[in-house]
Amino acid sequence: MPQFDDTELTAAVIRSFEETPDPRVKFLMEELVKSLHDFVRKTDLTFDEWGAAIDFLTRTGQKCSSTRQEFILLSDVLGVSMLVDAVNHRDRDGATETTVLGPFYVGEHKPTAHGADISADLPGERMFVQGRVTDLKGKPLAGVPVDVWHADDDGFYDSQKPSYETQGSSSRARFITDADGRFFFRTILPCSYPIPTDGPVGEMILQVRRHPMRPAHVHFLVDAPGYEPLITHVFIEGDKYLDSDVVFGVKNDLIARVEKRTDPVMPDGKPAAAPWHLMRYDFRMKPGKGTAPKPMMAATEDA
Ligand code: BEZ
Ligand code: FE
């Protein structure tokens, strides 16, 4: 009957993976166990602390449903999501920077006409958004789907509201770039908002005296054949949370000056009823492949 001291135990667990057929799985399991065991040794983890961690993870799982993914939120607030993003996008070669997908992407939509107001029924300051999708040399990419989604004037996504099931989506759409790689639409100015704090991740954030806020942004997912899918946000310059995003998702190149305008017409020549804002951003795509992500909720069912 083998007996192990705390270092030999790590070696024994690693040996237990020897027969793993997939070398990548074997490597990941070995490294995971090394890191977990190191953590326990370095911290002299007590039984109470270990129990609290198990309880926390159990409650994190129990909070997941068909509309909520508390484990991804945990990954986000611990900076793991942005680290995975960073190690997978080390060389951008001038392509637009990437950031987290977030939990509020609900998947594809039928294409919407350019110029449409995707927040027509919502209160808020009006905003005109125009963008262009090109390759790294500036050649326009036509016929490319661009998914956009953002929070409303109260800081909620449509999918967080009870009305979502009956009234459908708002502040989200898919546009297809025109022959010059361009797309444009109307919406409202999004505001900064808190991540959901009514679960174990929120408890943790408050326990360590962090705020739960994300700076105002619009999400974009650009998926051009022959190019890496681009998952990004455009942040609004001046937002007070740009330096302390709770999910560490801000990159300087993704901050746009959103100008306040009083011109009586918007860039597509149609009248503006009140002062409005203009967001302009161009997206440079990196050649490559990859599959656009599926919505985070797709694999999860209500308990
Ligand atoms: C979001 O941008 O929608 C988001 C990202 C990470 C965690 C929570 C929300
Ligand atoms: Fe968001």
Side-chain angles (χ1 to χ4, degrees):
M1 179 70 73
Q3 280 194 49
F4 307 105
D5 67 17
D6 61 4
T7 317
E8 288 160 357
L9 184 64
T10 306
V13 178
I14 287 172
R15 273 200 306 281
S16 78
F17 301 134
E18 255 166 28
E19 302 297 319
T20 311
D22 183 325
R24 179 69 180 170
V25 173
K26 180 168 182 277
F27 173 68
L28 293 176
M29 293 304 293
E30 289 170 354
E31 293 303 315
L32 178 67
V33 165
K34 280 188 216 165
S35 297
L36 283 175
H37 285 211
D38 274 348
F39 175 80
V40 174
R41 268 189 294 269
K42 261 191 244 158
T43 57
D44 282 330
L45 199 69
T46 66
F47 279 109
D48 279 354
E49 290 160 346
W50 175 79
I54 299 286
D55 175 61
F56 176 81
L57 291 174
T58 305
R59 288 186 297 114
T60 300
Q62 286 164 343
K63 199 72 191 171
C64 293
S65 72
S66 59
T67 54
R68 177 141 178 184
Q69 231 307 352
E70 194 78 356
F71 273 114
I72 293 180
L73 200 58
L74 178 60
S75 160
D76 293 339
V77 303
L78 294 180
V80 176
S81 307
M82 280 309 288
L83 195 53
V84 173
D85 177 71
V87 300
N88 282 280
H89 294 121
R90 283 203 170 102
D91 304 311
R92 293 308 288 151
D93 299 332
T96 300
E97 292 289 349
T98 52
T99 187
V100 284
L101 179 70
F104 302 121
Y105 178 60
V106 302
E108 294 179 17
H109 272 260
K110 280 197 289 201
T112 299
H114 293 256
D117 189 342
I118 65 169
S119 303
D121 299 331
L122 297 180
E125 295 181 37
R126 309 323 289 179
M127 179 167 78
F128 191 93
V129 180
Q130 57 188 27
R132 189 165 186 235
V133 180
T134 69
D135 70 5
L136 295 180
K137 294 193 179 118
K139 186 183 95 178
L141 299 178
V144 171
V146 179
D147 291 344
V148 303
W149 66 106
H150 67 82
D152 68 12
D153 200 35
D154 291 324
F156 290 105
Y157 284 79
D158 56 356
S159 55
Q160 291 178 288
K161 300 185 229 174
S163 57
Y164 184 60
E165 291 302 324
T166 49
Q167 288 169 21
S169 59
S170 54
S171 307
R172 71 171 75 236
R174 163 170 285 194
F175 298 94
I176 307 290
T177 57
D178 67 14
D180 200 25
R182 295 182 194 278
F183 63 93
F184 57 94
F185 59 96
R186 290 167 169 72
T187 186
I188 52 169
L189 191 67
C191 61
S192 40
Y193 63 85
I195 59 163
T197 51
D198 59 339
V201 173
E203 260 170 48
M204 186 188 77
I205 288 292
L206 300 179
Q207 191 182 3
V208 298
R209 304 293 185 270
R210 277 169 58 180
H211 71 68
M213 300 300 288
R214 296 220 62 207
H217 57 270
V218 178
H219 292 256
F220 292 89
L221 195 170
V222 187
D223 190 16
Y227 296 83
E228 286 181 3
L230 174 66
I231 297 166
T232 197
H233 308 352
V234 175
F235 294 94
I236 296 179
E237 192 180 79
D239 191 288
K240 73 182 212 192
Y241 297 108
L242 282 171
D243 288 331
S244 62
D245 181 6
V246 66
V247 306
F248 309 94
V250 179
K251 295 180 179 172
N252 288 341
D253 286 355
L254 298 178
I255 302 173
R257 175 166 300 151
V258 176
E259 300 155 28
K260 188 153 193 176
R261 296 292 185 96
T262 50
D263 329 18
V265 289
M266 288 188 171
D268 60 356
K270 300 216 171 115
W276 49 283
H277 300 263
L278 177 60
M279 173 184 274
R280 279 190 288 215
Y281 201 87
D282 291 343
F283 301 86
R284 291 176 306 278
M285 303 295 289
K286 185 171 178 185
K289 50 189 169 48
T291 318
K294 298 281 169 244
M296 293 303 177
M297 306 309 156
T300 328
E301 285 305 321
D302 270 318

